[in-house]
């Protein structure tokens, strides 16, 4: 049976993570992992709810040493916990805070005595390549979250592929992430990239602009900020002074060239994007300001049959049919033309929700916004789009007039609803269920005009 090392760092004195009280070496990390593994109860599944990225890293690896599988839901709601308990009755929840986990077996992250730790001389542990290391769950942006099993060998290969694609295999950076480590993007780009890309990471999860600036200042260069368009837009809009950033990385939603150019102008750092999904893992990267084409990560291949595109090979688990409309180009490159589920046809005219959202976001004064296509038809047999918009200082009429200059009249939202905030999750996504609930509250129950 093939086995893959836990991490690629060969120097026990190398810095693996940065915490508020200072750096943590590879040797300290491995000792923490072994100490926690010795205390974990023997069970099949570890629901790793640690907010601290370093404690998550210790818990994940300790679970691997115990032969466990890490459960990583995109939500930490009571409903999610109930579903997990039904599907994985022998799970245990590892917590480093007062997270409420009703009716779940709870294991508090212990205080680990550094003086009593096992020395690095025991070497770097290896894990069977085919071990089911993690089960990640889709965000539910298009329906019920779905479980995606990941083997350890593929996860390690994933981290190496991203390091090569981003140029970090030659020059490792310190990773500062605004996204949760449990989610696919945060898991890959702030954890796997550390384990198998040779990088170090900041233990926290800064959200507000000042916290992001403080986290960047707490770690040495070269620095890579792992973020999303939603977080990046708020950071730039704040106008606060930022420490030097060497690379910016974004994912989870399309990044406009306008925002990318602004980010590069403000920081002097290249603005890179990752494309992928929870099902497939990350698949490609690009520098947004260089053009629309994406380049596949090493080892990954796309194959097409009709209008269906599937990802395979490399670190992809099997053959994964993608939900996007893709145009293949030479030299392992491709173009994205929106999601199949986003493509809409109203009165014979076609467009995509991604395109409409881009045009809405480009209206001056619009802070955030999203189009929504209800399931039911209008009284005339035509489904009318709704748009929810955050735009302090603007009226719905002003926004509609501006949209009329950008999109065809048939796609104008009826109604356009002003809201204080959109129900985005911690990675900036808008689950369809949450948009449906917002629609029910603001349109159906409120009797909002549909003319």
């Amino acid at each position: 049976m093939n086995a893959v090392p836990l991490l690629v760092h060969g120097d026990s004195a190398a810095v693996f993570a940065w915490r508020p009280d200072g750096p943590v070496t590879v040797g300290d990390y491995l000792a923490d992992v072994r100490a926690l593994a010795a205390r974990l109860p023997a069970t099949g599944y570890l629901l790793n709810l640690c907010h601290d990225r370093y404690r998550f890293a210790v818990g994940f690896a300790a679970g691997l040493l115990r032969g466990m599988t890490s459960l990583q839901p995109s939500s930490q709601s009571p409903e999610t916990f109930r579903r997990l308990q039904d599907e994985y009755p022998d799970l245990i929840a590892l917590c480093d805070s007062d997270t409420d986990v009703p009716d779940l077996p709870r294991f508090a992250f212990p205080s680990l005595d550094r003086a009593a730790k096992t020395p690095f001389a025991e070497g770097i542990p290896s894990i069977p390549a085919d071990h089911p290391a993690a089960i990640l769950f889709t965000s539910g942006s298009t329906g019920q979250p779905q479980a995606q099993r990941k083997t350890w060998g593929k996860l390690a290969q994933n981290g190496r592929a991203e390091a090569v694609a981003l140029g970090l295999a030659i020059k490792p950076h310190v990773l500062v992430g605004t996204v949760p480590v449990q989610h696919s993007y945060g898991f890959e780009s702030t954890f796997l990239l550390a384990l198998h890309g040779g990088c170090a990471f900041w233990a926290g999860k800064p959200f507000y602009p000042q916290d992001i600036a403080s986290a960047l200042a707490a770690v040495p260069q070269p620095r890579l900020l792992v973020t999303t368009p939603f977080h990046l837009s708020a950071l730039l809009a704040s106008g606060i002074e930022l420490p030097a950033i060497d690379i910016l990385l974004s994912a989870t939603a399309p990044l406009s060239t306008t925002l990318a150019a602004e980010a590069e102008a403000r920081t002097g750092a290249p603005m890179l994007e990752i494309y992928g999904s929870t099902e497939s893992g990350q698949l490609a990267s690009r520098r947004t300001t260089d053009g629309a084409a994406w380049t596949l990560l090493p080892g990954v291949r796309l194959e097409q049959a009709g209008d269906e595109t599937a990802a395979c090979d490399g670190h992809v688990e099997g053959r994964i049919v993608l939900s996007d409309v893709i145009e293949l180009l030479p030299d392992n490159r491709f173009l994205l033309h929106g999601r199949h589920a986003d493509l809409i046809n109203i009165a014979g005219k076609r467009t995509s929700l991604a395109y409409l959202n881009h045009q809405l976001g480009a209206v001056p004064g619009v802070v955030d916004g999203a189009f929504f296509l209800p399931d039911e038809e209008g009284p005339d047999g035509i489904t009318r789009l709704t748009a929810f918009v955050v735009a302090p200082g603007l009226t719905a009429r002003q926004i509609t007039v501006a949209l009329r200059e950008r999109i065809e009249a048939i796609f104008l939202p009826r109604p356009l609803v002003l809201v204080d905030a959109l129900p985005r999750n911690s990675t900036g996504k808008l689950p369809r269920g949450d948009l449906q609930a917002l629609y029910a509250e603001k349109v159906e129950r409120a009797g909002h005009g549909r003319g």
Side-chain angles (χ1 to χ4, degrees), residues 245-261:
I245 301 173
D246 298 275
I247 299 178
L248 292 161
L249 185 66
S250 178
T252 75
L255 178 67
S256 71
T257 53
T258 301
L259 182 58

Side-chain angles (χ1 to χ4, degrees), residues 166-413:
L166 302 184
L168 305 181
I170 299 172
K171 188 177 183 180
H173 285 47
V174 181
L175 314 170
V176 175
T178 66
V179 290
V181 68
Q182 286 86 356
H183 292 203
S184 179
Y185 170 45
F187 181 62
E188 293 168 334
S189 295
T190 67
F191 178 54
L192 296 182
L193 194 52
L195 287 181
H196 281 271
C199 297
F201 62 87
W202 173 248
K205 187 192 70 175
F207 178 85
Y208 296 106
Q210 187 57 59
D211 294 334
I212 296 173
S214 297
L216 290 166
V219 302
Q221 287 185 265
R223 306 177 180 112
L224 189 159
L225 179 62
V226 180
T227 189
T228 71
F230 178 67
H231 295 141
L232 180 63
S233 178
L235 178 63
L236 297 179
S238 72
I240 66 172
E241 185 175 350
L242 296 171
I245 301 173
D246 298 275
I247 299 178
L248 292 161
L249 185 66
S250 178
T252 75
L255 178 67
S256 71
T257 53
T258 301
L259 182 58
E262 180 186 356
E264 291 192 347
R266 283 280 305 275
T267 65
M271 182 76 245
L272 308 181
E273 279 187 275
I274 287 287
Y275 164 74
S277 66
T278 305
E279 296 91 333
S280 66
Q282 54 195 347
L283 298 175
S285 65
R286 71 176 180 182
R287 182 172 180 176
T288 316
T289 54
D290 282 349
W294 297 85
T295 300
L296 290 170
L297 267 58
V300 176
R301 186 168 60 87
L302 297 182
E303 54 185 32
Q304 286 187 323
D307 63 353
E308 179 182 280
T309 304
C312 54
D313 297 348
H315 58 269
V316 180
E317 302 271 3
R319 183 180 184 274
I320 304 296
V321 176
L322 304 177
S323 60
D324 294 293
V325 180
I326 289 176
E327 176 187 346
L328 297 183
L329 301 174
D331 303 321
N332 292 321
R333 297 180 307 133
F334 63 91
L335 295 174
L336 286 176
H337 295 297
R339 297 173 66 90
H340 286 288
D342 282 353
L343 300 180
I344 55 177
N345 184 332
I346 298 180
K349 292 187 177 292
R350 299 175 185 273
T351 188
S352 72
L353 291 175
Y355 173 80
L356 296 175
N357 288 339
H358 174 74
Q359 296 302 323
L360 177 59
V363 173
V366 170
V367 176
D368 198 7
F371 276 77
F372 177 72
L373 184 65
D375 293 327
E376 75 279 2
E377 294 180 344
D380 55 0
I382 297 176
T383 303
R384 300 291 186 185
L385 287 161
T386 294
F388 299 105
V389 187
V390 181
L394 293 181
T395 65
R397 177 174 176 77
Q398 288 173 318
I399 299 169
T400 301
V401 169
L403 277 176
R404 203 177 284 275
E405 299 294 319
R406 295 176 170 273
I407 63 177
E408 294 189 64
I410 193 68
F411 299 123
L412 288 173

Side-chain angles (χ1 to χ4, degrees), residues 40-41 43 45-48 68 90-94 105-107:
L40 282 176
T43 185
Y45 296 97
L46 183 68
L47 177 58
N48 194 336
M68 301 169 79
D90 60 341
L91 70 80
I92 186 168
L94 177 66
R106 180 191 181 101
F107 186 85

Side-chain angles (χ1 to χ4, degrees), residues 74 122 127 198 254 260 296 306 409 429 437 450:
S74 58
E122 289 193 23
I127 311 299
L296 290 170
K429 291 186 177 182
R450 299 294 306 275

